[in-house]
């Protein structure tokens, strides 16, 4: 049975979630200030399947952060997936 490739995702969250970064596996976190939302964290990285993605989203939810954007992406050619 062939191994499925991991899919890259970009998750943008209102607030600083870097303290939870160990829960997000291989994802990298970038924090910046946004005029509309204040502090936002952009998480970028691969997930093997939807259950792994759901685990990360549940962690964000459990700590009461607002998810602003989720997208599967080929972000290697982009500096930022956040487009507001």
């Amino acid at each position: 049975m062939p191994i499925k490739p991991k899919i890259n995702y970009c998750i943008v969250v209102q607030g600083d979630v870097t303290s939870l970064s160990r829960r997000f596996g291989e994802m990298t976190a970038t924090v910046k200030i946004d005029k509309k939302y204040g502090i936002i964290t952009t998480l970028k990285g691969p997930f093997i399947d939807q259950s792994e993605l759901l685990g990360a989203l549940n962690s964000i939810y459990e700590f009461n952060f607002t998810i602003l954007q989720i997208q599967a992406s080929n972000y290697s050619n982009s500096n930022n997936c956040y487009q507001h």
Side-chain angles (χ1 to χ4, degrees):
M1 184 172 189
I3 297 173
K4 290 183 179 180
K6 292 183 178 184
I7 298 173
N8 292 319
Y9 279 88
C10 179
I11 304 170
V12 181
V13 180
Q14 188 174 17
D16 183 348
V17 299
T18 55
S19 63
L20 304 176
S21 62
R22 71 180 193 285
R23 295 174 177 250
F24 303 128
E26 298 177 45
M27 298 196 88
T28 59
T30 306
V31 179
K32 71 176 192 177
I33 303 296
D34 181 78
K35 290 180 183 179
K36 184 174 181 180
Y37 296 106
I39 297 172
I40 61 168
T41 304
T42 301
L43 301 164
K44 294 179 183 179
F47 289 99
I48 193 72
D49 57 24
Q50 288 185 352
S51 64
E52 189 177 35
L53 173 62
L54 185 58
L57 297 177
N58 280 334
S59 292
I60 294 167
Y61 173 78
E62 287 171 0
F63 287 92
N64 204 29
F65 288 100
T66 300
I67 298 170
L68 301 174
Q69 179 182 16
I70 303 169
Q71 74 182 67
S73 69
N74 179 5
Y75 54 78
S76 60
N77 297 326
S78 172
N79 290 330
N80 197 343
C81 62
Y82 180 63
Q83 303 294 323
H84 286 271

